[in-house]
Every structure is written in structure tokens, then in C-alpha cells.
Amino acid sequence: MPEKDHWEREFDHRWANAAEHKEPSARARMLAARWKNNPPGPVPFRADPDPVAPRRSSWISTAVVLSCVAAVILLLGYAQTRAFH
């Protein structure tokens, strides 16, 4: 039974969450120190989208991939037949 009490004390999250003071993370402390003398400028919630080239349709991409696979298969078959002659 004493072992059970040890584990209950070890993982008592209610006690940890009830602590009065919580120390900020290392990243928060680093950013606070960096921004003390040089605060960051305002950043929009969402940046303006960059102009994007029109996408190729999916059937064109599929045709390109299948033709590349067929070319590799034919090339390997040709190389294999030339190796036996």
C-alpha cells in the first residue's frame, strides 16, 4: 500500500495545477528578453495570398506519370533483351 501512496503523490496534477505561480517556458522568456528593447511590428492575421500559377488538371498529371512509368518499363525491357544477345 505505501507504493500506491507514492504514485498518487508523484502524479498529483491537481496539486501542481493549483500552484500560485507558474514559470514561463524558456521560449517565452527568450522572446520577452528579445522584445524588451526591440518589439516586433504588427503582423496581419492572414498574409495576402501570392499569385499562384494555374494548376494542371489531374488527368494531365496522371498521364505524365503513367507515360514516365511506361518509358522506364520499356527502357528496362530493352536493356534486358540487349544483355542476352
Side-chain angles (χ1 to χ4, degrees):
M1 196 68 161
E3 185 174 319
K4 184 177 180 185
D5 292 336
H6 170 71
W7 285 110
E8 286 177 3
R9 267 195 315 254
E10 185 74 26
F11 297 106
D12 190 3
H13 294 289
R14 288 177 300 206
W15 175 80
N17 290 334
E20 290 184 25
H21 176 72
K22 292 186 179 181
E23 185 175 332
S25 67
R27 178 160 176 78
R29 290 191 310 264
M30 178 198 67
L31 291 175
R34 182 184 300 170
W35 292 344
K36 183 184 262 186
N37 297 325
N38 188 14
V43 177
F45 178 69
R46 293 184 189 264
D48 292 334
D50 295 333
V52 179
R55 291 186 57 183
R56 290 184 289 184
S57 64
S58 63
W59 70 269
I60 292 176
S61 298
T62 303
V64 168
V65 168
L66 290 177
S67 62
C68 289
V69 168
V72 168
I73 290 172
L74 290 174
L75 183 65
L76 290 175
Y78 178 74
Q80 188 176 11
T81 58
R82 296 296 287 170
F84 289 125
H85 285 95

